[in-house]
Amino acid sequence: TLLMGVARGGGGGDAPLPFGCDVPRGLRCTRFSAMMPSYCVPKSKPRASDLKGSGSIAAFRNRRALQRDTRRRGSDSSGSSSESEPPVPVMILPGFLSGSESYIPLRDDLRCRGFMAQVLPVKAGEWGPTLLGGSFEFYLDKIEALAHEMYEESGGQRIQIVGHSAGGWLARLWLGNNTYNSNRYGSPNLVSTLITLGTPHYSNEDYPFGRIPEKLQGGRKLGSKAVGSSLWFTNTMYPGAYYADIRYISICGRAIEGRRFGMGVPLDSVVAYGSYKANCGQGDVWGDGVTDIDTSLLEGSEQIVLEGCYHSPDSSGPWYGSEEFVETWATFLRN
Protein backbone atom coordinates (compact mmCIF):
# COMPACT_ATOMS: atom_id res chain seq x y z
CA THR A 1 0.00 0.00 0.00
CA LEU A 2 1.05 3.56 -0.66
CA LEU A 3 2.14 5.74 2.25
CA MET A 4 1.49 9.26 1.06
CA GLY A 5 3.30 12.36 2.28
CA VAL A 6 1.49 15.67 2.01
CA ALA A 7 2.83 19.15 2.59
CA ARG A 8 0.92 22.41 2.56
CA GLY A 9 2.10 25.86 3.49
CA GLY A 10 2.93 29.36 2.44
CA GLY A 11 5.89 30.44 0.40
CA GLY A 12 7.69 28.84 -2.49
CA GLY A 13 4.71 29.15 -4.81
CA ASP A 14 2.38 26.88 -2.82
CA ALA A 15 -1.32 27.32 -3.53
CA PRO A 16 -3.30 29.02 -0.76
CA LEU A 17 -5.17 26.74 1.60
CA PRO A 18 -8.91 26.41 0.91
CA PHE A 19 -10.03 28.21 4.03
CA GLY A 20 -9.72 31.77 5.24
CA CYS A 21 -8.06 31.52 8.62
CA ASP A 22 -5.00 33.41 9.83
CA VAL A 23 -2.98 30.53 11.26
CA PRO A 24 0.74 29.76 11.14
CA ARG A 25 1.82 27.90 8.05
CA GLY A 26 4.92 25.98 7.15
CA LEU A 27 5.18 22.25 6.64
CA ARG A 28 7.93 20.43 4.92
CA CYS A 29 8.19 16.89 3.67
CA THR A 30 11.06 14.70 4.66
CA ARG A 31 11.96 11.05 4.42
CA PHE A 32 12.56 8.84 7.43
CA SER A 33 14.44 6.08 5.64
CA ALA A 34 14.37 3.96 2.52
CA MET A 35 11.92 1.71 4.36
CA MET A 36 9.47 4.53 5.07
CA PRO A 37 8.06 6.74 2.27
CA SER A 38 7.43 10.45 2.72
CA TYR A 39 5.51 11.85 5.63
CA CYS A 40 4.91 15.31 6.98
CA VAL A 41 7.00 17.03 9.60
CA PRO A 42 5.71 20.28 11.10
CA LYS A 43 8.21 23.09 11.54
CA SER A 44 6.58 24.87 14.42
CA LYS A 45 4.95 23.95 17.68
CA PRO A 46 1.17 24.21 17.96
CA ARG A 47 -0.31 27.50 19.06
CA ALA A 48 -2.95 27.32 21.80
CA SER A 49 -6.34 28.50 20.57
CA ASP A 50 -8.30 30.88 22.72
CA LEU A 51 -11.41 30.81 20.54
CA LYS A 52 -14.73 30.07 22.14
CA GLY A 53 -17.57 28.48 20.18
CA SER A 54 -21.26 28.50 20.92
CA GLY A 55 -21.76 24.80 20.15
CA SER A 56 -24.92 25.25 18.03
CA ILE A 57 -25.13 25.04 14.26
CA ALA A 58 -27.62 27.93 14.11
CA ALA A 59 -25.28 30.18 16.07
CA PHE A 60 -22.40 29.20 13.82
CA ARG A 61 -24.40 30.09 10.72
CA ASN A 62 -25.32 33.45 12.24
CA ARG A 63 -21.64 34.17 12.87
CA ARG A 64 -20.77 33.20 9.31
CA ALA A 65 -23.55 35.45 7.96
CA LEU A 66 -22.18 38.36 10.00
CA GLN A 67 -18.67 37.70 8.69
CA ARG A 68 -19.97 37.62 5.11
CA ASP A 69 -21.83 40.89 5.60
CA THR A 70 -18.71 42.50 7.03
CA ARG A 71 -16.58 41.29 4.11
CA ARG A 72 -19.26 42.38 1.63
CA ARG A 73 -19.34 45.89 3.07
CA GLY A 74 -15.57 46.01 2.79
CA SER A 75 -15.71 44.85 -0.82
CA ASP A 76 -18.42 47.35 -1.71
CA SER A 77 -16.37 50.20 -0.30
CA SER A 78 -13.49 49.29 -2.60
CA GLY A 79 -15.72 49.00 -5.64
CA SER A 80 -15.73 45.20 -5.94
CA SER A 81 -17.80 42.32 -4.56
CA SER A 82 -17.61 38.54 -4.33
CA GLU A 83 -19.87 35.79 -3.15
CA SER A 84 -18.65 33.68 -0.28
CA GLU A 85 -18.62 29.91 -0.57
CA PRO A 86 -21.01 28.18 1.87
CA PRO A 87 -19.15 26.61 4.81
CA VAL A 88 -18.31 22.92 4.49
CA PRO A 89 -19.95 20.78 7.22
CA VAL A 90 -17.48 18.75 9.31
CA MET A 91 -18.54 16.23 11.95
CA ILE A 92 -15.95 15.28 14.60
CA LEU A 93 -16.34 11.83 16.16
CA PRO A 94 -14.72 11.32 19.61
CA GLY A 95 -12.64 8.26 20.45
CA PHE A 96 -13.38 5.40 22.84
CA LEU A 97 -14.19 6.45 26.43
CA SER A 98 -13.89 10.11 25.44
CA GLY A 99 -16.46 12.87 25.82
CA SER A 100 -17.21 15.73 23.46
CA GLU A 101 -15.54 18.34 25.66
CA SER A 102 -12.06 17.05 24.77
CA TYR A 103 -12.67 18.03 21.13
CA ILE A 104 -13.98 21.57 21.59
CA PRO A 105 -10.56 23.16 20.84
CA LEU A 106 -10.37 21.15 17.60
CA ARG A 107 -13.91 22.19 16.70
CA ASP A 108 -13.05 25.84 17.30
CA ASP A 109 -9.88 25.55 15.23
CA LEU A 110 -11.87 24.17 12.28
CA ARG A 111 -14.47 26.91 12.68
CA CYS A 112 -11.68 29.47 12.57
CA ARG A 113 -10.67 27.95 9.24
CA GLY A 114 -14.17 28.48 7.86
CA PHE A 115 -15.76 25.06 8.37
CA MET A 116 -19.16 24.41 9.92
CA ALA A 117 -17.72 22.01 12.52
CA GLN A 118 -19.65 20.08 15.14
CA VAL A 119 -18.58 17.47 17.71
CA LEU A 120 -20.77 14.43 18.22
CA PRO A 121 -22.49 14.99 21.60
CA VAL A 122 -21.31 12.08 23.71
CA LYS A 123 -20.40 11.73 27.38
CA ALA A 124 -17.52 9.57 28.57
CA GLY A 125 -19.82 7.56 30.83
CA GLU A 126 -22.01 6.49 27.90
CA TRP A 127 -19.27 4.13 26.75
CA GLY A 128 -19.56 2.08 29.95
CA PRO A 129 -21.92 -0.67 28.68
CA THR A 130 -19.56 -1.46 25.79
CA LEU A 131 -16.96 -2.60 28.33
CA LEU A 132 -19.44 -5.27 29.43
CA GLY A 133 -20.28 -6.58 25.98
CA GLY A 134 -22.79 -3.92 24.97
CA SER A 135 -23.09 -2.78 21.38
CA PHE A 136 -22.34 0.68 19.98
CA GLU A 137 -25.87 1.58 18.94
CA PHE A 138 -25.92 4.56 21.31
CA TYR A 139 -23.04 6.08 19.32
CA LEU A 140 -24.42 5.20 15.88
CA ASP A 141 -27.80 6.71 16.79
CA LYS A 142 -26.06 9.97 17.65
CA ILE A 143 -24.17 9.98 14.34
CA GLU A 144 -27.42 9.35 12.48
CA ALA A 145 -29.17 12.29 14.14
CA LEU A 146 -26.30 14.79 13.82
CA ALA A 147 -25.49 13.80 10.22
CA HIS A 148 -29.02 14.49 9.02
CA GLU A 149 -29.16 17.73 11.02
CA MET A 150 -25.90 18.99 9.54
CA TYR A 151 -26.87 17.93 6.03
CA GLU A 152 -30.09 19.92 6.24
CA GLU A 153 -28.54 22.93 7.99
CA SER A 154 -25.78 23.16 5.36
CA GLY A 155 -28.28 23.26 2.51
CA GLY A 156 -27.69 19.70 1.36
CA GLN A 157 -23.89 19.65 1.31
CA ARG A 158 -22.25 16.29 1.79
CA ILE A 159 -20.57 15.98 5.19
CA GLN A 160 -16.89 15.55 5.96
CA ILE A 161 -16.29 13.18 8.87
CA VAL A 162 -13.20 13.32 11.09
CA GLY A 163 -13.11 10.21 13.27
CA HIS A 164 -10.57 10.03 16.08
CA SER A 165 -9.46 6.61 17.31
CA ALA A 166 -12.53 4.33 17.59
CA GLY A 167 -14.62 7.12 16.08
CA GLY A 168 -13.00 6.31 12.74
CA TRP A 169 -14.11 2.70 12.48
CA LEU A 170 -17.48 3.50 14.06
CA ALA A 171 -18.01 5.96 11.19
CA ARG A 172 -17.36 3.08 8.77
CA LEU A 173 -19.90 0.97 10.66
CA TRP A 174 -22.51 3.73 10.52
CA LEU A 175 -21.99 4.20 6.79
CA GLY A 176 -22.86 0.55 6.11
CA ASN A 177 -26.36 -0.56 5.20
CA ASN A 178 -26.47 -4.06 6.69
CA THR A 179 -28.57 -4.71 9.78
CA TYR A 180 -26.63 -4.14 12.98
CA ASN A 181 -28.44 -5.43 16.07
CA SER A 182 -31.82 -5.02 14.39
CA ASN A 183 -30.98 -1.47 13.30
CA ARG A 184 -30.15 -0.31 9.81
CA TYR A 185 -28.17 2.89 9.30
CA GLY A 186 -26.31 3.44 6.05
CA SER A 187 -26.32 6.99 4.67
CA PRO A 188 -23.18 7.06 2.50
CA ASN A 189 -24.89 9.57 0.21
CA LEU A 190 -24.60 12.16 3.01
CA VAL A 191 -20.80 11.87 3.22
CA SER A 192 -18.01 12.82 0.82
CA THR A 193 -14.88 12.34 2.94
CA LEU A 194 -13.87 10.22 5.93
CA ILE A 195 -10.62 11.10 7.69
CA THR A 196 -9.53 8.74 10.46
CA LEU A 197 -6.98 9.81 13.06
CA GLY A 198 -5.14 7.06 14.94
CA THR A 199 -7.97 4.60 14.33
CA PRO A 200 -7.20 0.94 15.13
CA HIS A 201 -8.93 -0.36 11.98
CA TYR A 202 -7.30 -3.78 12.17
CA SER A 203 -6.89 -4.28 15.90
CA ASN A 204 -6.78 -7.87 17.16
CA GLU A 205 -8.40 -6.55 20.37
CA ASP A 206 -6.12 -8.93 22.26
CA TYR A 207 -6.15 -6.94 25.48
CA PRO A 208 -4.08 -8.14 28.46
CA PHE A 209 -7.15 -8.43 30.68
CA GLY A 210 -9.35 -9.78 27.91
CA ARG A 211 -12.66 -8.38 26.68
CA ILE A 212 -16.26 -9.46 27.05
CA PRO A 213 -17.58 -10.58 23.63
CA GLU A 214 -20.59 -8.85 22.16
CA LYS A 215 -23.61 -10.75 20.89
CA LEU A 216 -24.41 -8.99 17.66
CA GLN A 217 -27.28 -9.77 15.34
CA GLY A 218 -26.50 -9.19 11.67
CA GLY A 219 -28.46 -9.25 8.45
CA ARG A 220 -26.67 -12.40 7.27
CA LYS A 221 -24.80 -15.28 8.77
CA LEU A 222 -21.65 -14.06 10.49
CA GLY A 223 -18.50 -15.73 11.76
CA SER A 224 -17.96 -15.99 15.49
CA LYS A 225 -15.48 -13.09 15.57
CA ALA A 226 -17.87 -10.75 13.76
CA VAL A 227 -20.69 -11.68 16.12
CA GLY A 228 -18.51 -10.96 19.14
CA SER A 229 -16.95 -7.70 17.98
CA SER A 230 -18.37 -4.60 16.30
CA LEU A 231 -14.93 -3.90 14.84
CA TRP A 232 -14.76 -7.35 13.26
CA PHE A 233 -18.35 -6.87 12.09
CA THR A 234 -17.27 -3.65 10.37
CA ASN A 235 -14.26 -5.22 8.66
CA THR A 236 -16.32 -8.21 7.57
CA MET A 237 -19.21 -6.22 6.14
CA TYR A 238 -17.41 -3.12 4.88
CA PRO A 239 -13.73 -3.95 4.28
CA GLY A 240 -11.25 -1.20 3.51
CA ALA A 241 -12.27 1.92 1.62
CA TYR A 242 -15.64 0.36 0.94
CA TYR A 243 -17.62 3.07 -0.87
CA ALA A 244 -16.13 4.22 -4.16
CA ASP A 245 -17.70 7.69 -3.99
CA ILE A 246 -16.33 8.45 -0.52
CA ARG A 247 -12.76 9.65 -0.11
CA TYR A 248 -11.05 7.70 2.69
CA ILE A 249 -7.92 9.11 4.33
CA SER A 250 -6.28 7.24 7.20
CA ILE A 251 -3.69 9.03 9.30
CA CYS A 252 -1.41 7.78 12.05
CA GLY A 253 1.20 9.48 14.18
CA ARG A 254 4.75 8.22 14.57
CA ALA A 255 5.74 9.46 18.01
CA ILE A 256 6.63 6.51 20.25
CA GLU A 257 8.40 3.22 19.68
CA GLY A 258 7.06 0.45 21.87
CA ARG A 259 9.63 -1.07 24.25
CA ARG A 260 9.49 -3.76 26.89
CA PHE A 261 9.72 -2.77 30.53
CA GLY A 262 13.29 -2.41 31.68
CA MET A 263 15.80 -0.18 33.41
CA GLY A 264 15.73 3.29 31.90
CA VAL A 265 12.87 2.58 29.50
CA PRO A 266 10.38 5.49 29.46
CA LEU A 267 6.93 4.69 30.79
CA ASP A 268 5.19 5.88 27.62
CA SER A 269 7.25 3.40 25.59
CA VAL A 270 6.21 0.58 27.92
CA VAL A 271 2.55 1.57 27.70
CA ALA A 272 2.83 1.83 23.92
CA TYR A 273 4.39 -1.64 23.76
CA GLY A 274 1.37 -3.18 25.48
CA SER A 275 -1.11 -1.27 23.33
CA TYR A 276 0.63 -2.04 20.05
CA LYS A 277 0.92 -5.72 20.95
CA ALA A 278 -2.81 -5.88 21.71
CA ASN A 279 -3.48 -4.37 18.29
CA CYS A 280 -1.09 -6.14 15.94
CA GLY A 281 0.60 -8.85 18.02
CA GLN A 282 3.95 -7.04 18.08
CA GLY A 283 4.92 -4.41 20.64
CA ASP A 284 8.28 -3.16 19.43
CA VAL A 285 6.90 -1.06 16.56
CA TRP A 286 6.14 2.62 16.01
CA GLY A 287 2.88 4.47 16.42
CA ASP A 288 1.15 7.34 18.18
CA GLY A 289 1.52 5.79 21.63
CA VAL A 290 -1.79 3.91 21.48
CA THR A 291 -2.29 2.79 17.88
CA ASP A 292 0.55 1.37 15.80
CA ILE A 293 0.99 2.47 12.21
CA ASP A 294 0.11 -0.81 10.48
CA THR A 295 -3.12 -1.18 12.44
CA SER A 296 -4.17 2.38 11.63
CA LEU A 297 -3.73 2.57 7.85
CA LEU A 298 -6.93 1.46 6.13
CA GLU A 299 -6.55 -0.64 3.02
CA GLY A 300 -7.50 1.25 -0.14
CA SER A 301 -7.40 4.66 1.56
CA GLU A 302 -4.98 7.52 1.12
CA GLN A 303 -2.46 7.05 3.90
CA ILE A 304 -0.47 9.60 5.86
CA VAL A 305 2.02 9.20 8.73
CA LEU A 306 2.67 12.28 10.86
CA GLU A 307 6.04 12.44 12.53
CA GLY A 308 5.86 13.43 16.20
CA CYS A 309 2.08 13.17 16.45
CA TYR A 310 0.63 11.64 19.63
CA HIS A 311 -2.70 9.89 20.06
CA SER A 312 -4.92 12.00 22.29
CA PRO A 313 -5.45 15.53 23.63
CA ASP A 314 -3.97 14.59 27.01
CA SER A 315 -0.78 13.11 25.51
CA SER A 316 2.67 14.34 26.46
CA GLY A 317 3.12 15.94 23.04
CA PRO A 318 1.09 17.45 20.20
CA TRP A 319 -1.75 15.27 18.95
CA TYR A 320 -3.85 15.08 15.77
CA GLY A 321 -5.94 18.05 16.87
CA SER A 322 -2.93 20.31 17.49
CA GLU A 323 -2.76 23.23 15.08
CA GLU A 324 0.40 22.09 13.34
CA PHE A 325 -1.19 18.77 12.34
CA VAL A 326 -4.67 20.13 11.59
CA GLU A 327 -2.86 22.33 9.09
CA THR A 328 -2.00 19.16 7.15
CA TRP A 329 -5.18 17.11 7.14
CA ALA A 330 -7.73 19.96 7.03
CA THR A 331 -6.73 20.57 3.41
CA PHE A 332 -8.74 17.44 2.53
CA LEU A 333 -11.96 18.83 4.00
CA ARG A 334 -13.76 20.25 1.03
CA ASN A 335 -16.60 19.18 -1.23
Side-chain angles (χ1 to χ4, degrees):
T1 57
L2 175 67
L3 186 63
M4 186 182 71
V6 179
R8 296 286 187 273
D14 290 342
L17 295 177
F19 33 68
C21 182
D22 184 17
V23 294
R25 284 173 165 77
L27 290 167
R28 60 187 174 86
C29 273
T30 186
R31 186 175 294 272
F32 170 61
S33 71
M35 299 295 291
M36 290 283 289
S38 299
Y39 55 83
C40 291
V41 179
K43 285 183 177 178
S44 58
K45 294 183 179 180
R47 182 187 62 182
S49 172
D50 55 5
L51 297 174
K52 293 183 180 180
S54 68
S56 78
I57 294 176
F60 173 80
R61 296 183 73 187
N62 290 337
R63 281 202 308 278
R64 290 287 294 175
L66 178 60
Q67 292 169 357
R68 286 196 296 271
D69 290 342
T70 301
R71 287 196 296 270
R72 188 175 295 112
R73 286 195 296 270
S75 298
D76 291 343
S77 65
S78 61
S80 63
S81 63
S82 63
E83 288 298 322
S84 174
E85 290 290 329
V88 174
V90 178
M91 179 165 54
I92 303 167
L93 302 184
F96 188 58
L97 299 180
S98 296
S100 306
E101 65 279 358
S102 298
Y103 299 84
I104 297 304
L106 172 56
R107 181 203 68 184
D108 291 345
D109 187 334
L110 291 175
R111 288 182 176 183
C112 168
R113 297 168 190 270
F115 297 104
M116 189 180 80
Q118 281 288 96
V119 183
L120 190 74
V122 60
K123 298 179 180 178
E126 292 182 275
W127 295 92
T130 66
L131 297 172
L132 302 176
S135 72
F136 293 86
E137 288 164 290
F138 83 96
Y139 195 95
L140 303 180
D141 289 342
K142 291 176 183 290
I143 298 179
E144 181 79 3
L146 184 58
H148 283 275
E149 178 187 349
M150 294 186 72
Y151 183 77
E152 293 175 5
E153 289 283 348
S154 67
Q157 290 192 78
R158 295 178 73 183
I159 301 164
Q160 321 286 299
I161 296 180
V162 177
H164 175 236
S165 198
W169 67 258
L170 284 166
R172 293 171 52 215
L173 175 56
W174 170 76
L175 286 168
N177 55 12
N178 287 288
T179 301
Y180 172 81
N181 262 12
S182 301
N183 288 312
R184 189 182 292 271
Y185 301 97
S187 298
N189 59 304
L190 300 184
V191 177
S192 63
T193 303
L194 170 59
I195 297 179
T196 65
L197 307 173
T199 295
H201 290 292
Y202 300 113
S203 177
N204 294 330
E205 300 181 305
D206 188 16
Y207 307 121
F209 300 102
R211 61 180 295 274
I212 299 176
E214 302 167 53
K215 295 181 180 180
L216 302 176
Q217 302 297 319
R220 64 184 186 185
K221 189 174 181 180
L222 302 171
S224 59
K225 285 188 175 180
V227 170
S229 165
S230 291
L231 175 56
W232 280 84
F233 181 98
T234 302
N235 286 328
T236 299
M237 295 294 196
Y238 322 110
Y242 188 74
Y243 289 101
D245 60 342
I246 294 179
R247 186 180 188 183
Y248 293 80
I249 302 164
S250 55
I251 302 175
C252 190
R254 184 183 181 278
I256 302 178
E257 181 183 20
R259 296 173 61 187
R260 291 178 181 272
F261 177 79
M263 187 69 68
V265 177
L267 179 59
D268 57 0
S269 293
V270 176
V271 172
Y273 181 94
S275 184
Y276 300 161
K277 188 172 183 179
N279 284 328
C280 69
Q282 185 176 350
D284 54 347
V285 294
W286 282 88
D288 62 14
V290 174
T291 307
D292 60 280
I293 294 173
D294 286 345
T295 297
S296 186
L297 300 181
L298 183 67
E299 183 177 354
S301 71
E302 298 171 61
Q303 302 174 353
I304 299 173
V305 172
L306 297 174
E307 177 69 14
C309 182
Y310 290 75
H311 186 78
S312 58
D314 58 356
S315 298
S316 58
W319 76 296
Y320 300 100
S322 295
E323 205 166 82
E324 60 187 271
F325 295 123
V326 176
E327 184 80 2
T328 299
W329 56 257
T331 60
F332 298 103
L333 297 174
R334 53 182 179 265
N335 283 318

